[in-house]
Amino acid sequence: MAGIVDRIKRFAGSPQGRRTMDQVRRAAADPRRRAQAQRLLGRLRTPRR
């Protein structure tokens, strides 16, 4: 499991990772995107019958 965490850390520190983080931050700041994400999470968290 430590290998995955190390790979994520390396990606986050790379230029591509920083660009991706900026895109995610901008999307999270958009109220429409935030509502869309909340709806998706709500559907995923709802127990199935």
Side-chain angles (χ1 to χ4, degrees):
M1 200 62 134
I4 294 172
V5 173
D6 288 337
R7 289 178 64 182
I8 292 170
K9 284 181 183 179
R10 275 188 286 147
F11 176 74
S14 71
Q16 183 181 1
R18 287 193 292 271
R19 276 193 306 271
T20 302
M21 295 291 277
D22 286 340
Q23 288 175 345
V24 169
R25 283 190 187 106
R26 273 186 265 122
D30 182 8
R32 287 183 303 168
R33 292 286 185 198
R34 187 177 293 217
Q36 185 180 26
Q38 289 295 328
R39 285 193 303 271
L40 176 64
L41 287 174
R43 273 191 266 151
L44 292 174
R45 289 180 180 158
T46 303
R48 302 276 174 155
R49 293 183 199 180

